[in-house]
Amino acid sequence: VVFYGEFFTGFWAVLAGLFLYDSAKSIIREIEAARATHVEDVMQLPIGADPDATLQRFVDEVLTVYPQAVFPVARDRHLFGMLVLKDVKLIDRSEWGRKLVRDTMRPVSPDQFIEIGATIPEAHALAAENGCGAVGVIDHSGRLVGFLLAGHQV
């Protein structure tokens, strides 16, 4: 009877171990796939805000069509900065008709963009650090070619 009980205890331990091993292999495969995925595989086309547009025009013409929390401020694929909606909300609506996007954006800095070829974990880390929650994706000549919001799932 003792041998019979130990056999089933051992059998269940082996079965649980196999299940955990299989789960761990699956998680490792997902992590390796994320490391192998590059920003150009999942980036969005950039919906840019014109630096010379008023905030009112931006809200009426861009935000209503593309509701997202962050927009690259760009013209002719040249990145000027990031327009973060929580910054826009701090400005009184009566000022939106006079205030320009360039006056409200966060000026471009190295932590707001990443080059094509970077991995998704690199882009997510940069987006988490920069306070915008997004990064612009630039090509090797520095032109804006895409946009990636933090938390974008592969």
Side-chain angles (χ1 to χ4, degrees):
V1 174
V2 173
F3 176 74
Y4 181 74
E6 290 176 9
F7 172 77
F8 279 106
T9 302
F11 174 74
W12 286 115
V14 168
L15 193 60
L18 288 173
F19 175 75
L20 291 173
Y21 175 74
D22 188 52
S23 295
K25 276 185 17 183
S26 176
I27 291 169
I28 289 170
R29 272 194 303 270
E30 288 178 22
I31 291 171
E32 288 173 353
R35 285 185 185 150
T37 304
H38 296 94
V39 292
E40 60 268 25
D41 298 328
V42 298
M43 70 184 184
Q44 303 171 317
L45 290 176
I47 307 301
D50 184 337
D52 294 322
T54 64
L55 289 179
Q56 188 65 57
R57 185 171 141 218
F58 165 78
V59 169
D60 292 343
E61 296 176 9
V62 178
L63 185 59
T64 55
V65 179
Y66 304 101
Q68 57 191 49
V70 183
F71 291 84
V73 178
R75 182 184 304 124
D76 299 325
R77 294 179 20 169
H78 176 75
L79 182 65
F80 291 92
M82 295 287 189
L83 183 63
V84 181
L85 287 189
K86 67 181 176 182
D87 296 343
V88 174
K89 290 179 182 179
L90 297 175
I91 298 170
D92 191 80
R93 285 185 184 211
S94 64
E95 296 291 316
W96 288 3
R98 292 185 296 277
K99 195 91 158 162
L100 298 179
V101 167
R102 76 171 55 250
D103 299 329
T104 310
M105 72 180 189
R106 296 179 185 186
V108 72
S109 63
D111 64 352
Q112 292 176 350
F113 58 87
I114 198 159
E115 280 197 26
I116 280 184
T119 64
I120 297 301
E122 292 170 327
H124 284 188
L126 192 59
E129 292 171 8
N130 70 14
C132 295
V135 290
V137 180
I138 59 171
D139 64 13
H140 299 295
S141 61
R143 310 278 266 151
L144 183 67
V145 294
F147 190 66
L148 188 68
L149 293 166
H152 185 280
Q153 297 301 314
V154 179

